[in-house]
PDB file of all heavy atoms in Angstrom:
ATOM      1  N   GLU A 225       6.139  -1.934 -12.717  1.00  0.00           N
ATOM      2  CA  GLU A 225       5.253  -1.345 -13.721  1.00  0.00           C
ATOM      3  C   GLU A 225       3.790  -1.603 -13.355  1.00  0.00           C
ATOM      4  O   GLU A 225       3.393  -2.737 -13.117  1.00  0.00           O
ATOM      5  CB  GLU A 225       5.531  -1.929 -15.109  1.00  0.00           C
ATOM      6  CG  GLU A 225       6.935  -1.674 -15.622  1.00  0.00           C
ATOM      7  CD  GLU A 225       7.949  -2.667 -15.090  1.00  0.00           C
ATOM      8  OE1 GLU A 225       7.525  -3.696 -14.518  1.00  0.00           O
ATOM      9  OE2 GLU A 225       9.158  -2.396 -15.206  1.00  0.00           O
ATOM     10  N   GLY A 226       3.004  -0.548 -13.329  1.00  0.00           N
ATOM     11  CA  GLY A 226       1.583  -0.692 -13.056  1.00  0.00           C
ATOM     12  C   GLY A 226       1.198  -0.254 -11.664  1.00  0.00           C
ATOM     13  O   GLY A 226       1.999  -0.298 -10.734  1.00  0.00           O
ATOM     14  N   ASP A 227      -0.050   0.183 -11.525  1.00  0.00           N
ATOM     15  CA  ASP A 227      -0.572   0.633 -10.232  1.00  0.00           C
ATOM     16  C   ASP A 227      -0.846  -0.553  -9.320  1.00  0.00           C
ATOM     17  O   ASP A 227      -1.006  -1.692  -9.763  1.00  0.00           O
ATOM     18  CB  ASP A 227      -1.852   1.441 -10.433  1.00  0.00           C
ATOM     19  CG  ASP A 227      -1.590   2.785 -11.100  1.00  0.00           C
ATOM     20  OD1 ASP A 227      -0.485   3.326 -10.900  1.00  0.00           O
ATOM     21  OD2 ASP A 227      -2.477   3.278 -11.813  1.00  0.00           O
ATOM     22  N   ILE A 228      -0.936  -0.243  -8.040  1.00  0.00           N
ATOM     23  CA  ILE A 228      -1.193  -1.276  -7.041  1.00  0.00           C
ATOM     24  C   ILE A 228      -2.159  -0.734  -5.997  1.00  0.00           C
ATOM     25  O   ILE A 228      -2.086   0.441  -5.617  1.00  0.00           O
ATOM     26  CB  ILE A 228       0.120  -1.751  -6.388  1.00  0.00           C
ATOM     27  CG1 ILE A 228      -0.108  -2.959  -5.465  1.00  0.00           C
ATOM     28  CG2 ILE A 228       0.812  -0.620  -5.635  1.00  0.00           C
ATOM     29  CD1 ILE A 228       1.188  -3.646  -5.038  1.00  0.00           C
ATOM     30  N   CYS A 229      -3.079  -1.579  -5.545  1.00  0.00           N
ATOM     31  CA  CYS A 229      -4.027  -1.229  -4.485  1.00  0.00           C
ATOM     32  C   CYS A 229      -3.920  -2.247  -3.362  1.00  0.00           C
ATOM     33  O   CYS A 229      -3.648  -3.430  -3.600  1.00  0.00           O
ATOM     34  CB  CYS A 229      -5.459  -1.230  -5.016  1.00  0.00           C
ATOM     35  SG  CYS A 229      -5.959   0.284  -5.849  1.00  0.00           S
ATOM     36  N   PHE A 230      -4.148  -1.781  -2.140  1.00  0.00           N
ATOM     37  CA  PHE A 230      -4.072  -2.648  -0.966  1.00  0.00           C
ATOM     38  C   PHE A 230      -5.397  -2.620  -0.209  1.00  0.00           C
ATOM     39  O   PHE A 230      -5.919  -1.554   0.098  1.00  0.00           O
ATOM     40  CB  PHE A 230      -2.950  -2.192  -0.035  1.00  0.00           C
ATOM     41  CG  PHE A 230      -1.589  -2.237  -0.665  1.00  0.00           C
ATOM     42  CD1 PHE A 230      -1.060  -1.103  -1.253  1.00  0.00           C
ATOM     43  CD2 PHE A 230      -0.848  -3.401  -0.679  1.00  0.00           C
ATOM     44  CE1 PHE A 230       0.193  -1.129  -1.837  1.00  0.00           C
ATOM     45  CE2 PHE A 230       0.411  -3.447  -1.262  1.00  0.00           C
ATOM     46  CZ  PHE A 230       0.925  -2.301  -1.842  1.00  0.00           C
ATOM     47  N   TYR A 231      -5.897  -3.805   0.098  1.00  0.00           N
ATOM     48  CA  TYR A 231      -7.097  -3.966   0.912  1.00  0.00           C
ATOM     49  C   TYR A 231      -6.742  -4.926   2.046  1.00  0.00           C
ATOM     50  O   TYR A 231      -5.894  -5.801   1.888  1.00  0.00           O
ATOM     51  CB  TYR A 231      -8.249  -4.529   0.084  1.00  0.00           C
ATOM     52  CG  TYR A 231      -8.548  -3.701  -1.141  1.00  0.00           C
ATOM     53  CD1 TYR A 231      -7.944  -3.993  -2.356  1.00  0.00           C
ATOM     54  CD2 TYR A 231      -9.408  -2.608  -1.072  1.00  0.00           C
ATOM     55  CE1 TYR A 231      -8.201  -3.227  -3.482  1.00  0.00           C
ATOM     56  CE2 TYR A 231      -9.673  -1.827  -2.192  1.00  0.00           C
ATOM     57  CZ  TYR A 231      -9.061  -2.140  -3.395  1.00  0.00           C
ATOM     58  OH  TYR A 231      -9.295  -1.374  -4.502  1.00  0.00           O
ATOM     59  N   SER A 232      -7.409  -4.764   3.176  1.00  0.00           N
ATOM     60  CA  SER A 232      -6.977  -5.543   4.333  1.00  0.00           C
ATOM     61  C   SER A 232      -8.102  -5.723   5.334  1.00  0.00           C
ATOM     62  O   SER A 232      -9.015  -4.896   5.437  1.00  0.00           O
ATOM     63  CB  SER A 232      -5.801  -4.818   5.011  1.00  0.00           C
ATOM     64  OG  SER A 232      -5.499  -5.390   6.260  1.00  0.00           O
ATOM     65  N   SER A 233      -7.993  -6.799   6.088  1.00  0.00           N
ATOM     66  CA  SER A 233      -8.769  -6.908   7.323  1.00  0.00           C
ATOM     67  C   SER A 233      -8.382  -5.728   8.207  1.00  0.00           C
ATOM     68  O   SER A 233      -7.227  -5.293   8.201  1.00  0.00           O
ATOM     69  CB  SER A 233      -8.426  -8.217   8.033  1.00  0.00           C
ATOM     70  OG  SER A 233      -8.758  -8.148   9.408  1.00  0.00           O
ATOM     71  N   PRO A 234      -9.321  -5.175   9.000  1.00  0.00           N
ATOM     72  CA  PRO A 234      -8.981  -4.063   9.896  1.00  0.00           C
ATOM     73  C   PRO A 234      -8.001  -4.434  11.004  1.00  0.00           C
ATOM     74  O   PRO A 234      -7.456  -3.554  11.672  1.00  0.00           O
ATOM     75  CB  PRO A 234     -10.339  -3.650  10.482  1.00  0.00           C
ATOM     76  CG  PRO A 234     -11.360  -4.234   9.560  1.00  0.00           C
ATOM     77  CD  PRO A 234     -10.752  -5.494   9.030  1.00  0.00           C
ATOM     78  N   VAL A 235      -7.784  -5.722  11.229  1.00  0.00           N
ATOM     79  CA  VAL A 235      -6.873  -6.162  12.283  1.00  0.00           C
ATOM     80  C   VAL A 235      -5.457  -5.698  11.957  1.00  0.00           C
ATOM     81  O   VAL A 235      -4.987  -5.830  10.822  1.00  0.00           O
ATOM     82  CB  VAL A 235      -6.927  -7.693  12.440  1.00  0.00           C
ATOM     83  CG1 VAL A 235      -5.887  -8.174  13.452  1.00  0.00           C
ATOM     84  CG2 VAL A 235      -8.327  -8.118  12.875  1.00  0.00           C
ATOM     85  N   GLY A 236      -4.767  -5.165  12.967  1.00  0.00           N
ATOM     86  CA  GLY A 236      -3.493  -4.484  12.775  1.00  0.00           C
ATOM     87  C   GLY A 236      -2.450  -5.262  12.006  1.00  0.00           C
ATOM     88  O   GLY A 236      -1.739  -4.707  11.158  1.00  0.00           O
ATOM     89  N   ARG A 237      -2.287  -6.556  12.273  1.00  0.00           N
ATOM     90  CA  ARG A 237      -1.234  -7.310  11.604  1.00  0.00           C
ATOM     91  C   ARG A 237      -1.479  -7.445  10.102  1.00  0.00           C
ATOM     92  O   ARG A 237      -0.533  -7.566   9.326  1.00  0.00           O
ATOM     93  CB  ARG A 237      -1.055  -8.678  12.253  1.00  0.00           C
ATOM     94  CG  ARG A 237      -2.284  -9.585  12.258  1.00  0.00           C
ATOM     95  CD  ARG A 237      -1.959 -10.888  12.988  1.00  0.00           C
ATOM     96  NE  ARG A 237      -3.106 -11.764  13.164  1.00  0.00           N
ATOM     97  CZ  ARG A 237      -3.914 -11.721  14.214  1.00  0.00           C
ATOM     98  NH1 ARG A 237      -3.716 -10.832  15.174  1.00  0.00           N
ATOM     99  NH2 ARG A 237      -4.935 -12.565  14.316  1.00  0.00           N
ATOM    100  N   CYS A 238      -2.751  -7.424   9.712  1.00  0.00           N
ATOM    101  CA  CYS A 238      -3.060  -7.498   8.285  1.00  0.00           C
ATOM    102  C   CYS A 238      -2.800  -6.156   7.608  1.00  0.00           C
ATOM    103  O   CYS A 238      -2.237  -6.098   6.505  1.00  0.00           O
ATOM    104  CB  CYS A 238      -4.522  -7.903   8.087  1.00  0.00           C
ATOM    105  SG  CYS A 238      -4.901  -9.567   8.677  1.00  0.00           S
ATOM    106  N   VAL A 239      -3.192  -5.068   8.266  1.00  0.00           N
ATOM    107  CA  VAL A 239      -2.928  -3.731   7.729  1.00  0.00           C
ATOM    108  C   VAL A 239      -1.431  -3.517   7.587  1.00  0.00           C
ATOM    109  O   VAL A 239      -0.947  -3.042   6.549  1.00  0.00           O
ATOM    110  CB  VAL A 239      -3.542  -2.646   8.638  1.00  0.00           C
ATOM    111  CG1 VAL A 239      -3.151  -1.257   8.139  1.00  0.00           C
ATOM    112  CG2 VAL A 239      -5.062  -2.781   8.686  1.00  0.00           C
ATOM    113  N   GLU A 240      -0.667  -3.889   8.625  1.00  0.00           N
ATOM    114  CA  GLU A 240       0.781  -3.690   8.583  1.00  0.00           C
ATOM    115  C   GLU A 240       1.427  -4.558   7.510  1.00  0.00           C
ATOM    116  O   GLU A 240       2.393  -4.145   6.860  1.00  0.00           O
ATOM    117  CB  GLU A 240       1.400  -3.979   9.949  1.00  0.00           C
ATOM    118  CG  GLU A 240       2.867  -3.588  10.007  1.00  0.00           C
ATOM    119  CD  GLU A 240       3.491  -3.761  11.375  1.00  0.00           C
ATOM    120  OE1 GLU A 240       2.845  -4.381  12.260  1.00  0.00           O
ATOM    121  OE2 GLU A 240       4.615  -3.271  11.558  1.00  0.00           O
ATOM    122  N   THR A 241       0.902  -5.752   7.317  1.00  0.00           N
ATOM    123  CA  THR A 241       1.423  -6.611   6.248  1.00  0.00           C
ATOM    124  C   THR A 241       1.280  -5.925   4.900  1.00  0.00           C
ATOM    125  O   THR A 241       2.225  -5.875   4.102  1.00  0.00           O
ATOM    126  CB  THR A 241       0.687  -7.957   6.228  1.00  0.00           C
ATOM    127  OG1 THR A 241       0.982  -8.681   7.427  1.00  0.00           O
ATOM    128  CG2 THR A 241       1.095  -8.792   5.019  1.00  0.00           C
ATOM    129  N   ALA A 242       0.092  -5.379   4.637  1.00  0.00           N
ATOM    130  CA  ALA A 242      -0.132  -4.691   3.365  1.00  0.00           C
ATOM    131  C   ALA A 242       0.786  -3.477   3.230  1.00  0.00           C
ATOM    132  O   ALA A 242       1.352  -3.217   2.157  1.00  0.00           O
ATOM    133  CB  ALA A 242      -1.593  -4.274   3.256  1.00  0.00           C
ATOM    134  N   GLN A 243       0.948  -2.732   4.312  1.00  0.00           N
ATOM    135  CA  GLN A 243       1.824  -1.557   4.278  1.00  0.00           C
ATOM    136  C   GLN A 243       3.270  -1.953   3.994  1.00  0.00           C
ATOM    137  O   GLN A 243       3.962  -1.288   3.205  1.00  0.00           O
ATOM    138  CB  GLN A 243       1.728  -0.790   5.592  1.00  0.00           C
ATOM    139  CG  GLN A 243       0.402  -0.078   5.790  1.00  0.00           C
ATOM    140  CD  GLN A 243       0.273   0.550   7.164  1.00  0.00           C
ATOM    141  OE1 GLN A 243       0.911   0.113   8.116  1.00  0.00           O
ATOM    142  NE2 GLN A 243      -0.533   1.589   7.275  1.00  0.00           N
ATOM    143  N   CYS A 244       3.726  -3.020   4.613  1.00  0.00           N
ATOM    144  CA  CYS A 244       5.101  -3.464   4.392  1.00  0.00           C
ATOM    145  C   CYS A 244       5.304  -3.969   2.969  1.00  0.00           C
ATOM    146  O   CYS A 244       6.366  -3.750   2.372  1.00  0.00           O
ATOM    147  CB  CYS A 244       5.473  -4.552   5.398  1.00  0.00           C
ATOM    148  SG  CYS A 244       5.727  -3.950   7.083  1.00  0.00           S
ATOM    149  N   ILE A 245       4.313  -4.639   2.406  1.00  0.00           N
ATOM    150  CA  ILE A 245       4.411  -5.062   1.010  1.00  0.00           C
ATOM    151  C   ILE A 245       4.572  -3.829   0.125  1.00  0.00           C
ATOM    152  O   ILE A 245       5.401  -3.793  -0.789  1.00  0.00           O
ATOM    153  CB  ILE A 245       3.171  -5.879   0.592  1.00  0.00           C
ATOM    154  CG1 ILE A 245       3.139  -7.211   1.344  1.00  0.00           C
ATOM    155  CG2 ILE A 245       3.174  -6.119  -0.921  1.00  0.00           C
ATOM    156  CD1 ILE A 245       1.856  -7.998   1.139  1.00  0.00           C
ATOM    157  N   GLY A 246       3.780  -2.795   0.426  1.00  0.00           N
ATOM    158  CA  GLY A 246       3.864  -1.563  -0.344  1.00  0.00           C
ATOM    159  C   GLY A 246       5.207  -0.882  -0.204  1.00  0.00           C
ATOM    160  O   GLY A 246       5.777  -0.384  -1.178  1.00  0.00           O
ATOM    161  N   LYS A 247       5.734  -0.862   1.006  1.00  0.00           N
ATOM    162  CA  LYS A 247       7.037  -0.227   1.239  1.00  0.00           C
ATOM    163  C   LYS A 247       8.147  -0.994   0.530  1.00  0.00           C
ATOM    164  O   LYS A 247       9.129  -0.397   0.075  1.00  0.00           O
ATOM    165  CB  LYS A 247       7.312  -0.147   2.734  1.00  0.00           C
ATOM    166  CG  LYS A 247       6.431   0.865   3.465  1.00  0.00           C
ATOM    167  CD  LYS A 247       6.673   0.825   4.962  1.00  0.00           C
ATOM    168  CE  LYS A 247       5.785   1.825   5.696  1.00  0.00           C
ATOM    169  NZ  LYS A 247       5.961   1.764   7.159  1.00  0.00           N
ATOM    170  N   GLY A 248       7.984  -2.317   0.442  1.00  0.00           N
ATOM    171  CA  GLY A 248       8.969  -3.109  -0.271  1.00  0.00           C
ATOM    172  C   GLY A 248       9.001  -2.781  -1.756  1.00  0.00           C
ATOM    173  O   GLY A 248      10.039  -2.887  -2.410  1.00  0.00           O
ATOM    174  N   ARG A 249       7.876  -2.370  -2.251  1.00  0.00           N
ATOM    175  CA  ARG A 249       7.777  -1.946  -3.657  1.00  0.00           C
ATOM    176  C   ARG A 249       7.997  -0.426  -3.708  1.00  0.00           C
ATOM    177  O   ARG A 249       7.180   0.337  -4.217  1.00  0.00           O
ATOM    178  CB  ARG A 249       6.403  -2.326  -4.203  1.00  0.00           C
ATOM    179  CG  ARG A 249       6.281  -2.283  -5.732  1.00  0.00           C
ATOM    180  CD  ARG A 249       4.897  -2.761  -6.114  1.00  0.00           C
ATOM    181  NE  ARG A 249       4.712  -2.822  -7.544  1.00  0.00           N
ATOM    182  CZ  ARG A 249       3.969  -1.964  -8.252  1.00  0.00           C
ATOM    183  NH1 ARG A 249       3.372  -0.955  -7.635  1.00  0.00           N
ATOM    184  NH2 ARG A 249       3.824  -2.107  -9.547  1.00  0.00           N
ATOM    185  N   ALA A 250       9.086   0.012  -3.150  1.00  0.00           N
ATOM    186  CA  ALA A 250       9.360   1.428  -2.888  1.00  0.00           C
ATOM    187  C   ALA A 250       9.341   2.272  -4.148  1.00  0.00           C
ATOM    188  O   ALA A 250       9.810   1.873  -5.205  1.00  0.00           O
ATOM    189  CB  ALA A 250      10.704   1.572  -2.191  1.00  0.00           C
ATOM    190  N   GLY A 251       8.779   3.466  -3.986  1.00  0.00           N
ATOM    191  CA  GLY A 251       8.818   4.445  -5.049  1.00  0.00           C
ATOM    192  C   GLY A 251       7.721   4.334  -6.073  1.00  0.00           C
ATOM    193  O   GLY A 251       7.624   5.183  -6.965  1.00  0.00           O
ATOM    194  N   VAL A 252       6.872   3.336  -5.975  1.00  0.00           N
ATOM    195  CA  VAL A 252       5.793   3.163  -6.941  1.00  0.00           C
ATOM    196  C   VAL A 252       4.529   3.809  -6.404  1.00  0.00           C
ATOM    197  O   VAL A 252       4.085   3.499  -5.307  1.00  0.00           O
ATOM    198  CB  VAL A 252       5.540   1.673  -7.218  1.00  0.00           C
ATOM    199  CG1 VAL A 252       4.424   1.499  -8.230  1.00  0.00           C
ATOM    200  CG2 VAL A 252       6.825   1.026  -7.715  1.00  0.00           C
ATOM    201  N   GLN A 253       3.932   4.704  -7.160  1.00  0.00           N
ATOM    202  CA  GLN A 253       2.732   5.392  -6.705  1.00  0.00           C
ATOM    203  C   GLN A 253       1.501   4.514  -6.863  1.00  0.00           C
ATOM    204  O   GLN A 253       1.340   3.803  -7.847  1.00  0.00           O
ATOM    205  CB  GLN A 253       2.524   6.692  -7.482  1.00  0.00           C
ATOM    206  CG  GLN A 253       3.548   7.767  -7.144  1.00  0.00           C
ATOM    207  CD  GLN A 253       3.088   9.130  -7.593  1.00  0.00           C
ATOM    208  OE1 GLN A 253       2.114   9.267  -8.315  1.00  0.00           O
ATOM    209  NE2 GLN A 253       3.792  10.152  -7.162  1.00  0.00           N
ATOM    210  N   VAL A 254       0.639   4.583  -5.850  1.00  0.00           N
ATOM    211  CA  VAL A 254      -0.649   3.909  -5.930  1.00  0.00           C
ATOM    212  C   VAL A 254      -1.604   4.828  -6.666  1.00  0.00           C
ATOM    213  O   VAL A 254      -1.295   5.991  -6.912  1.00  0.00           O
ATOM    214  CB  VAL A 254      -1.186   3.575  -4.522  1.00  0.00           C
ATOM    215  CG1 VAL A 254      -0.261   2.593  -3.838  1.00  0.00           C
ATOM    216  CG2 VAL A 254      -1.350   4.823  -3.690  1.00  0.00           C
ATOM    217  N   PRO A 255      -2.787   4.348  -7.062  1.00  0.00           N
ATOM    218  CA  PRO A 255      -3.716   5.186  -7.826  1.00  0.00           C
ATOM    219  C   PRO A 255      -3.993   6.525  -7.165  1.00  0.00           C
ATOM    220  O   PRO A 255      -4.054   6.633  -5.937  1.00  0.00           O
ATOM    221  CB  PRO A 255      -4.974   4.317  -7.879  1.00  0.00           C
ATOM    222  CG  PRO A 255      -4.454   2.927  -7.818  1.00  0.00           C
ATOM    223  CD  PRO A 255      -3.282   2.986  -6.877  1.00  0.00           C
ATOM    224  N   ALA A 256      -4.196   7.537  -7.974  1.00  0.00           N
ATOM    225  CA  ALA A 256      -4.354   8.900  -7.472  1.00  0.00           C
ATOM    226  C   ALA A 256      -5.499   9.020  -6.477  1.00  0.00           C
ATOM    227  O   ALA A 256      -5.434   9.799  -5.527  1.00  0.00           O
ATOM    228  CB  ALA A 256      -4.566   9.854  -8.645  1.00  0.00           C
ATOM    229  N   GLN A 257      -6.566   8.241  -6.678  1.00  0.00           N
ATOM    230  CA  GLN A 257      -7.723   8.390  -5.807  1.00  0.00           C
ATOM    231  C   GLN A 257      -7.423   7.966  -4.373  1.00  0.00           C
ATOM    232  O   GLN A 257      -8.163   8.275  -3.454  1.00  0.00           O
ATOM    233  CB  GLN A 257      -8.920   7.590  -6.333  1.00  0.00           C
ATOM    234  CG  GLN A 257      -8.746   6.078  -6.289  1.00  0.00           C
ATOM    235  CD  GLN A 257      -8.220   5.522  -7.593  1.00  0.00           C
ATOM    236  OE1 GLN A 257      -7.536   6.223  -8.329  1.00  0.00           O
ATOM    237  NE2 GLN A 257      -8.558   4.278  -7.893  1.00  0.00           N
ATOM    238  N   LEU A 258      -6.302   7.235  -4.167  1.00  0.00           N
ATOM    239  CA  LEU A 258      -5.951   6.814  -2.825  1.00  0.00           C
ATOM    240  C   LEU A 258      -5.033   7.811  -2.123  1.00  0.00           C
ATOM    241  O   LEU A 258      -4.755   7.689  -0.944  1.00  0.00           O
ATOM    242  CB  LEU A 258      -5.290   5.428  -2.867  1.00  0.00           C
ATOM    243  CG  LEU A 258      -6.202   4.308  -3.359  1.00  0.00           C
ATOM    244  CD1 LEU A 258      -5.482   2.978  -3.293  1.00  0.00           C
ATOM    245  CD2 LEU A 258      -7.485   4.247  -2.562  1.00  0.00           C
ATOM    246  N   ASN A 259      -4.534   8.796  -2.886  1.00  0.00           N
ATOM    247  CA  ASN A 259      -3.760   9.896  -2.304  1.00  0.00           C
ATOM    248  C   ASN A 259      -2.607   9.422  -1.430  1.00  0.00           C
ATOM    249  O   ASN A 259      -2.470   9.822  -0.277  1.00  0.00           O
ATOM    250  CB  ASN A 259      -4.673  10.812  -1.475  1.00  0.00           C
ATOM    251  CG  ASN A 259      -5.755  11.439  -2.330  1.00  0.00           C
ATOM    252  OD1 ASN A 259      -5.481  11.915  -3.433  1.00  0.00           O
ATOM    253  ND2 ASN A 259      -6.979  11.438  -1.837  1.00  0.00           N
ATOM    254  N   ALA A 260      -1.800   8.542  -1.958  1.00  0.00           N
ATOM    255  CA  ALA A 260      -0.674   8.045  -1.178  1.00  0.00           C
ATOM    256  C   ALA A 260       0.455   7.632  -2.108  1.00  0.00           C
ATOM    257  O   ALA A 260       0.250   7.391  -3.282  1.00  0.00           O
ATOM    258  CB  ALA A 260      -1.098   6.859  -0.313  1.00  0.00           C
ATOM    259  N   VAL A 261       1.650   7.538  -1.543  1.00  0.00           N
ATOM    260  CA  VAL A 261       2.813   7.057  -2.277  1.00  0.00           C
ATOM    261  C   VAL A 261       3.384   5.881  -1.510  1.00  0.00           C
ATOM    262  O   VAL A 261       3.598   5.949  -0.303  1.00  0.00           O
ATOM    263  CB  VAL A 261       3.877   8.161  -2.421  1.00  0.00           C
ATOM    264  CG1 VAL A 261       5.109   7.614  -3.124  1.00  0.00           C
ATOM    265  CG2 VAL A 261       3.291   9.344  -3.186  1.00  0.00           C
ATOM    266  N   VAL A 262       3.602   4.787  -2.200  1.00  0.00           N
ATOM    267  CA  VAL A 262       4.032   3.563  -1.544  1.00  0.00           C
ATOM    268  C   VAL A 262       5.319   3.751  -0.756  1.00  0.00           C
ATOM    269  O   VAL A 262       5.494   3.213   0.325  1.00  0.00           O
ATOM    270  CB  VAL A 262       4.200   2.444  -2.598  1.00  0.00           C
ATOM    271  CG1 VAL A 262       4.887   1.228  -2.002  1.00  0.00           C
ATOM    272  CG2 VAL A 262       2.830   2.050  -3.129  1.00  0.00           C
ATOM    273  N   SER A 263       6.261   4.542  -1.293  1.00  0.00           N
ATOM    274  CA  SER A 263       7.543   4.711  -0.627  1.00  0.00           C
ATOM    275  C   SER A 263       7.408   5.475   0.691  1.00  0.00           C
ATOM    276  O   SER A 263       8.303   5.471   1.515  1.00  0.00           O
ATOM    277  CB  SER A 263       8.516   5.454  -1.546  1.00  0.00           C
ATOM    278  OG  SER A 263       7.973   6.710  -1.908  1.00  0.00           O
ATOM    279  N   ASP A 264       6.275   6.160   0.889  1.00  0.00           N
ATOM    280  CA  ASP A 264       6.062   6.912   2.121  1.00  0.00           C
ATOM    281  C   ASP A 264       5.259   6.046   3.089  1.00  0.00           C
ATOM    282  O   ASP A 264       5.791   5.399   3.968  1.00  0.00           O
ATOM    283  CB  ASP A 264       5.349   8.225   1.797  1.00  0.00           C
ATOM    284  CG  ASP A 264       5.121   9.067   3.034  1.00  0.00           C
ATOM    285  OD1 ASP A 264       5.773   8.799   4.065  1.00  0.00           O
ATOM    286  OD2 ASP A 264       4.269   9.972   2.971  1.00  0.00           O
ATOM    287  N   GLU A 265       3.959   6.035   2.951  1.00  0.00           N
ATOM    288  CA  GLU A 265       3.099   5.205   3.791  1.00  0.00           C
ATOM    289  C   GLU A 265       1.965   4.690   2.919  1.00  0.00           C
ATOM    290  O   GLU A 265       1.008   5.407   2.633  1.00  0.00           O
ATOM    291  CB  GLU A 265       2.538   6.014   4.957  1.00  0.00           C
ATOM    292  CG  GLU A 265       1.821   5.171   6.006  1.00  0.00           C
ATOM    293  CD  GLU A 265       2.756   4.205   6.713  1.00  0.00           C
ATOM    294  OE1 GLU A 265       3.903   4.558   6.986  1.00  0.00           O
ATOM    295  OE2 GLU A 265       2.313   3.077   6.994  1.00  0.00           O
TER     296      GLU A 265
END
């Protein structure tokens, strides 16, 4: 329940960590202004 936003160091392992956290929370949409769906990328 609730929106989620991800911020990261530009270094690849940090970006991928945030992406994997989002994928683990599958199917939950991030805020509209970010134009993305967690279950996708």
Side-chain angles (χ1 to χ4, degrees):
E225 299 83 13
D227 291 330
I228 187 168
C229 277
F230 299 95
Y231 305 92
S232 169
S233 159
V235 175
R237 59 182 174 270
C238 295
V239 175
E240 188 176 11
T241 294
Q243 290 174 335
C244 287
I245 293 172
K247 289 176 181 178
R249 195 177 183 253
V252 180
Q253 290 197 349
V254 296
Q257 67 266 27
L258 296 183
N259 299 315
V261 177
V262 170
S263 58
D264 181 17
E265 190 65 38

